[in-house]
């Protein structure tokens, strides 16, 4: 930890150092209208970005969010970036991957929309970026060869290729990529156990090894059809992983143990998006998507002749249809209405055996099906150039049925109102206030048994789950300064109902369930500071800090505590600088907090631990079509793991049996990227 703080301080001191080269400042953003900033290509010229993703990373005061592909349906799953005013009709293909396949030369401009804008699908967000593509004919062929280089000589290669052609609205592209690498699952460390009096009773070495592999292909085509634009995209991928853990006892009682986990996953997706104008003031968008996946998993744990095995065979599917009608009768008013229907299915067969003897686990073999529909309406009223009010209502209706180990059908109807006001009293100042009722989605995986083989734990599935409901009041103040500077202050208060956490299940197992009501308070500050006026040309310093306070009644002890996994404080800093017109650039990233999120189980309290991490990078563009990037990662050789307090029974009545400390770390490693446009 001390080393991390020292390195962060040393890196920050560079801000006070002399500049290598003095370049002209970038072009200022254009204020198209109150709440909308337009960034032309000249604004990014000094950075010489390769892709639209690089340009998004340079938007002052904008925090990129790729969305959540695990969210069922399209409502709420999209990220905060649009392309030509539309969301990508893909979920398995991440938004960051989509943006990385768009070259910077194909971008006409980027619009940063804060608050709301009539006719723009804001994805339920307060701020979105809209990437507008050029209309000229462009043909691109990009090859990228990357490698992760580790201290033991291991090399993790990454290869990808892309071809695309754009001519006005007509577009076609294809990509293929593959990699073989390792993660923090390859590391060394220790596991130490202490009695209730904090005396060491066992010391063991931990040796973790893993390997991940992936092959992935995507394709997309866009053409004019029936007076509108039709986009069709597809994806097919395979992902394999292997993990092992060797626990070697050095002192104290206990025996060595060996764990091995293997999984293979295949994913596919096909989607389309059609957008057309019905009249001068109305338009229609239709989206359809189908995706599926299969996964086979085997986890084996062995210790002195004893063995336990957990197997899982899972298949999932999702089919979505969505229609949105937009109408703008006058300039101040815009209306939007539509609906979405989705069918989701998870079919999972799991088994747990101890020394070859099958052990019953709650909900080990379950098929879960959901038919869900949602209708929505929204109105945006621009009272004057400085004030916009947006109001909307979504009503979700769903039926979830389970068969197999449990036969149960539940139906839900949830209204989800939303109200947001955006006030821009003058250029550079904006206030946003949002009041919204949100309803979470049940994770189908919580209905089915699962295992933590490395910890020797099995969790039961729980068919009796309710979605958690949240009413949120949020206020944001945004201050723009020094052309590229931005300060964002956000405060929110959330009232939770049927909070999802861990509860005791039959058979002595833990599982996911509802634990009652809770509250959460949150405050965040984000700063983007251009350093030209501080004597460091073409530099940008970014910092964030967030504080949270959560409270819920523990279902085991009856006492108030924080939400599972919630940490009181988080922070991070970044700096980057462009030199010689973007031919050279460098920077660092440092997450300066130590994660202390806690999970409260029936017989255990588990606290996660991860020290800060420091990354430094340098980039060289000898020619516009060639980019070479080198990253030095994990320079602090950070430790990660968990602290566990294990009780002899339910922790409200049973005594503490022992404490366990797990720590692992790995050496710094190097990432090398070579990108060439042909």
């Amino acid at each position: 930890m001390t080393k991390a703080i020292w390195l962060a301080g040393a890196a920050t001191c560079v801000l006070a150092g002399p500049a290598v080269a003095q370049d002209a400042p970038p072009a200022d953003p254009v204020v198209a209208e109150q709440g909308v900033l337009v960034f032309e290509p000249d604004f990014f010229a000094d950075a010489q970005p390769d892709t639209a993703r690089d340009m998004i990373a340079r938007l002052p005061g904008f925090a990129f969010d790729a969305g959540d592909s695990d969210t069922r349906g399209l409502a709420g799953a999209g990220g905060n970036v649009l392309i030509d005013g539309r969301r990508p009709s893909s979920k398995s293909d991440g938004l960051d991957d989509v943006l990385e396949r768009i070259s910077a030369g194909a971008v006409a401009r980027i619009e940063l929309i804060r608050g709301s804008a009539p006719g723009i699908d804001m994805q339920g967000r307060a701020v979105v970026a809209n990437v507008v593509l050029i209309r000229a004919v462009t043909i691109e062929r990009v090859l990228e060869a990357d490698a992760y280089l580790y201290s033991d000589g291991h090399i993790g290669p990454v290869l990808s290729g892309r071809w695309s052609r754009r001519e006005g609205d007509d577009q076609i592209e294809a990509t293929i990529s593959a990699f073989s690498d390792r993660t923090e699952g390859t590391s060394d460390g220790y596991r130490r156990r202490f009695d209730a009096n904090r005396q060491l009773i066992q010391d063991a070495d931990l040796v973790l090894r893993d390997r991940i592999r992936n092959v992935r292909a995507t394709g997309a085509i866009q053409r004019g059809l029936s007076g509108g634009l039709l986009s069709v995209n597809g994806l097919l991928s395979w992902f394999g992983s292997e993990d092992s853990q060797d626990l070697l006892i050095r002192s104290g009682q206990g025996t060595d143990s060996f764990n091995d986990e293997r999984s293979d996953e295949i994913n596919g997706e096909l989607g389309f998006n059609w957008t057309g104008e019905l009249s001068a003031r109305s338009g229609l968008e239709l989206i359809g998507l189908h995706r599926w996946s299969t996964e086979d998993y085997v986890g084996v744990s062995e210790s002195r002749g004893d063995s336990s095995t957990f197997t899982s065979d899972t298949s999932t599917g999702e089919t979505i249809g969505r229609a949105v009608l937009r109408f703008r009768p006058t300039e101040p008013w815009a209306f939007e209405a539509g609906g979405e229907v989705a069918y989701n299915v998870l079919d999972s067969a799991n088994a747990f055996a101890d020394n070859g003897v099958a052990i019953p686990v709650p909900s080990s073999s379950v098929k879960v099906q959901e038919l869900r529909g949602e209708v929505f309406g929204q109105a945006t009223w621009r009272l004057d150039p400085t004030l916009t009010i947006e109001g909307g209502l979504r009503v979700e209706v769903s039926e979830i049925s389970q068969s197999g180990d449990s036969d149960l059908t539940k139906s839900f109807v949830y209204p989800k109102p939303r109200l947001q006001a955006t006030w821009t009293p003058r250029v550079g100042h904006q206030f946003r206030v949002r009041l919204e009722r949100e309803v979470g989605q049940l994770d189908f995986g919580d209905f089915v048994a699962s295992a933590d083989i490395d910890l020797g734990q099995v969790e039961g599935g729980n068919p009796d789950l309710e979605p958690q409901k949240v009413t949120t009041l949020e206020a944001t103040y945004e201050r723009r300064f020094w052309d590229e500077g931005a300060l964002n202050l956000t405060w929110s208060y959330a009232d939770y109902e049927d909070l999802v956490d861990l509860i005791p299940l039959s058979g002595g197992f833990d599982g996911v369930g509802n634990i009652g009501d809770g509250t959460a308070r949150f405050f965040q500050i984000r700063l983007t500071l251009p350093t030209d006026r501080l004597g460091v040309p073409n530099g940008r310093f970014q910092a964030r800090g967030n504080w949270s306070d959560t409270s819920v009644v523990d279902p085991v002890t009856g006492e108030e505590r924080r939400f599972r996994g919630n940490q009181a404080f988080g922070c991070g800093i970044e700096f980057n600088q462009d030199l010689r017109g973007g031919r050279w650039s460098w920077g660092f990233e440092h997450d300066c907090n130590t994660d202390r999120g806690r999970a409260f189980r029936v017989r255990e309290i588990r606290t996660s631990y991860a020290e800060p991490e420091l990354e430094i990078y340098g980039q060289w563009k000898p020619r516009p079509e060639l980019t070479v990037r080198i990253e030095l990662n994990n320079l602090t050789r950070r430790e990660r793991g968990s602290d566990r307090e294990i009780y002899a029974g339910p922790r409200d009545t049973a005594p503490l049996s022992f404490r366990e400390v797990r720590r692992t770390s790995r050496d710094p490693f190097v990432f090398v990227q070579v990108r060439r446009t042909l």
Side-chain angles (χ1 to χ4, degrees):
M1 181 69 179
T2 303
K3 181 166 57 175
I5 296 174
W6 185 91
L7 285 170
T12 306
C13 288
V14 175
L15 292 175
V20 175
Q22 179 77 37
D23 294 318
D28 298 343
V30 178
V31 181
E33 57 180 275
Q34 293 283 24
V36 179
L37 298 177
V38 177
F39 296 84
E40 303 285 351
D42 287 348
F43 179 85
F44 307 96
D46 283 335
Q48 290 195 31
D50 288 322
T51 69
R53 179 68 181 89
D54 298 334
M55 300 171 77
I56 290 293
R58 294 297 182 122
L59 291 178
F62 181 73
F64 173 72
D65 185 349
D68 184 5
S69 62
D70 292 331
T71 298
R72 298 189 301 281
L74 292 173
N80 59 358
V81 177
L82 306 175
I83 300 172
D84 281 336
R86 300 185 297 169
R87 69 168 77 199
S89 58
S90 175
K91 291 181 66 178
S92 302
D93 197 13
L95 180 58
D96 48 356
D97 293 326
V98 173
L99 292 170
E100 286 175 1
R101 293 199 299 267
I102 300 174
S103 69
V107 177
R109 65 185 183 276
I110 297 180
E111 301 168 343
L112 187 60
I113 304 168
R114 300 128 62 225
S116 58
I120 293 293
D121 182 2
M122 296 293 292
Q123 313 277 293
R125 298 176 180 272
V127 179
V128 299
N130 181 33
V131 178
V132 181
L133 304 180
I134 63 173
R135 318 296 295 171
V137 178
T138 59
I139 299 177
E140 288 187 332
R141 294 174 293 272
V142 179
L143 295 178
E144 187 173 309
D146 310 335
Y148 292 88
L149 310 177
Y150 299 94
S151 60
D152 61 358
H154 179 82
I155 298 176
V158 183
L159 300 174
S160 65
R162 178 176 67 88
W163 176 87
S164 66
R165 185 182 190 276
R166 291 183 174 87
E167 182 178 359
D169 290 327
D170 292 346
Q171 302 175 19
I172 185 171
E173 69 172 32
T175 65
I176 186 168
S177 63
F179 70 78
S180 176
D181 196 18
R182 56 170 59 163
T183 70
E184 284 188 310
T186 294
S187 54
D188 300 306
Y190 61 84
R191 189 192 77 178
R192 293 170 184 161
R193 288 182 170 176
F194 303 83
D195 62 20
N197 296 319
R198 300 186 181 277
Q199 298 299 310
L200 181 66
I201 57 176
Q202 185 193 84
D203 190 3
D205 290 340
L206 276 176
V207 181
L208 309 181
R209 297 293 180 263
D210 77 334
R211 183 186 183 190
I212 56 174
R213 292 168 291 172
N214 176 255
V215 179
R216 175 188 178 106
T218 66
I221 185 171
Q222 179 175 282
R223 292 288 186 270
L225 179 67
S226 301
L229 282 178
L230 175 66
S231 301
V232 180
N233 62 273
L235 175 146
L236 185 64
S237 70
W238 168 81
F239 180 83
S241 65
E242 302 173 9
D243 301 86
S244 66
Q245 172 185 281
D246 293 350
L247 179 71
L248 308 174
I249 305 298
R250 296 307 181 198
S251 65
Q253 295 183 349
T255 59
D256 298 344
S257 64
F258 308 92
N259 301 332
D260 184 75
E261 299 176 82
R262 297 174 183 268
S263 68
D264 287 278
E265 184 176 351
I266 298 177
N267 295 279
E269 181 181 276
L270 180 65
F272 77 87
N273 180 306
W274 182 87
T275 304
E277 300 296 325
L278 302 180
S279 68
R281 291 191 172 274
S282 63
L284 177 66
E285 181 177 18
L286 302 174
I287 300 176
L289 181 144
H290 175 71
R291 63 175 183 164
W292 56 271
S293 69
T294 62
E295 181 181 13
D296 295 322
Y297 167 87
V298 178
V300 179
S301 178
E302 299 179 346
S303 178
R304 190 182 288 179
D306 294 328
S307 68
S308 60
T309 304
F310 188 90
T311 61
S312 175
D313 184 1
T314 303
S315 62
T316 62
E318 180 177 35
T319 304
I320 307 170
R322 180 181 176 90
V324 182
L325 178 64
R326 297 184 177 92
F327 178 54
R328 190 172 184 180
T330 62
E331 287 302 313
W333 284 95
F335 298 92
E336 180 179 296
E340 178 177 303
V341 61
Y343 171 74
N344 299 276
V345 60
L346 177 145
D347 195 347
S348 182
N350 303 332
F352 178 60
D354 191 7
N355 290 321
V357 178
I359 305 297
V361 180
S363 300
S364 60
S365 295
V366 173
K367 183 175 183 179
V368 184
Q369 301 178 82
E370 178 193 44
L371 182 61
R372 185 179 60 83
E374 182 176 270
V375 293
F376 54 88
Q378 176 179 296
T380 302
W381 180 26
R382 190 177 294 276
L383 285 79
D384 59 50
T386 68
L387 180 61
T388 300
I389 296 178
E390 175 189 314
L393 174 65
R394 294 185 292 161
V395 179
E396 177 183 333
V397 180
S398 65
E399 181 179 89
I400 299 179
S401 62
Q402 303 172 57
S403 58
D405 286 355
S406 60
D407 292 303
L408 183 65
T409 299
K410 285 190 173 185
S411 298
F412 305 101
V413 179
Y414 293 115
K416 295 178 284 188
R418 182 175 189 269
L419 181 65
Q420 176 173 287
T422 303
W423 181 43
T424 309
R426 64 176 186 269
V427 174
H429 297 266
Q430 187 177 86
F431 298 87
R432 298 187 292 269
V433 179
R434 174 177 64 94
L435 178 62
E436 185 170 6
R437 172 77 164 178
E438 301 169 290
V439 179
Q441 288 191 348
L442 297 178
D443 186 342
F444 283 0
D446 295 336
F447 290 84
V448 187
S450 61
D452 290 327
I453 288 295
D454 58 334
L455 298 178
Q457 289 186 339
V458 175
E459 288 188 3
N462 181 15
D464 192 22
L465 278 168
E466 295 276 341
Q468 69 181 21
K469 281 74 70 176
V470 189
T471 301
T472 301
L473 175 62
E474 179 182 86
T476 299
Y477 168 67
E478 178 184 295
R479 174 73 170 98
R480 298 270 167 173
F481 62 95
W482 292 4
D483 301 330
E484 291 186 76
L487 173 67
N488 289 272
L489 306 176
T490 300
W491 170 90
S492 69
Y493 173 84
D495 189 45
Y496 283 75
E497 300 174 33
D498 298 319
L499 183 70
V500 173
D501 207 306
L502 294 172
I503 63 172
L505 299 177
S506 61
F509 293 97
D510 291 339
V512 176
N514 302 103
I515 64 171
D517 301 340
T519 59
R521 296 172 178 84
F522 177 81
F523 177 75
Q524 182 182 74
I525 178 171
R526 300 184 67 96
L527 173 67
T528 300
L529 180 68
T531 60
D532 298 80
R533 302 191 186 191
L534 303 179
V536 182
N538 294 329
R540 185 176 66 166
F541 177 78
Q542 298 182 84
R544 64 167 177 83
N546 49 268
W547 296 259
S548 67
D549 179 26
T550 60
S551 177
V552 67
V553 175
D554 191 291
V556 176
T557 64
E559 299 175 350
E560 287 194 5
R561 61 164 173 83
R562 303 185 71 88
F563 290 1
R564 176 180 56 162
N566 177 252
Q567 61 182 38
F569 174 71
C571 60
I573 56 175
E574 299 179 26
F575 175 75
N576 60 68
Q577 184 183 22
D578 303 313
L579 306 172
R580 298 186 179 180
R583 188 176 181 184
W584 295 88
S585 62
W586 75 281
F588 71 85
E589 298 180 11
H590 181 58
D591 56 335
C592 53
N593 64 285
T594 300
D595 191 351
R596 294 286 187 180
R598 308 177 80 189
F600 300 84
R601 308 175 71 92
V602 178
R603 297 171 179 81
E604 174 189 344
I605 298 177
R606 186 183 307 171
T607 305
S608 62
Y609 180 85
E611 289 184 343
E613 185 173 16
L614 176 65
E615 170 194 316
I616 297 177
Y617 75 89
Q619 185 170 290
W620 175 43
K621 294 180 69 71
R623 298 188 299 275
E625 71 277 6
L626 179 63
T627 302
V628 180
R629 180 184 177 96
I630 297 178
E631 298 178 4
L632 306 179
N633 293 273
N634 194 34
L635 293 177
T636 56
R637 203 177 187 275
R638 70 166 181 167
E639 286 191 335
R640 57 192 298 270
S642 63
D643 298 333
R644 303 172 66 199
E645 298 176 12
I646 312 296
Y647 293 81
R651 52 188 167 81
D652 60 328
T653 57
L656 180 69
S657 294
F658 60 89
R659 293 182 172 89
E660 178 182 285
V661 177
R662 298 168 63 96
R663 296 288 186 271
T664 61
S665 64
R666 60 174 176 168
D667 292 337
F669 61 96
V670 178
F671 173 72
V672 179
Q673 179 185 71
V674 179
R675 185 183 190 274
R676 172 68 186 272
T677 301
L678 304 178

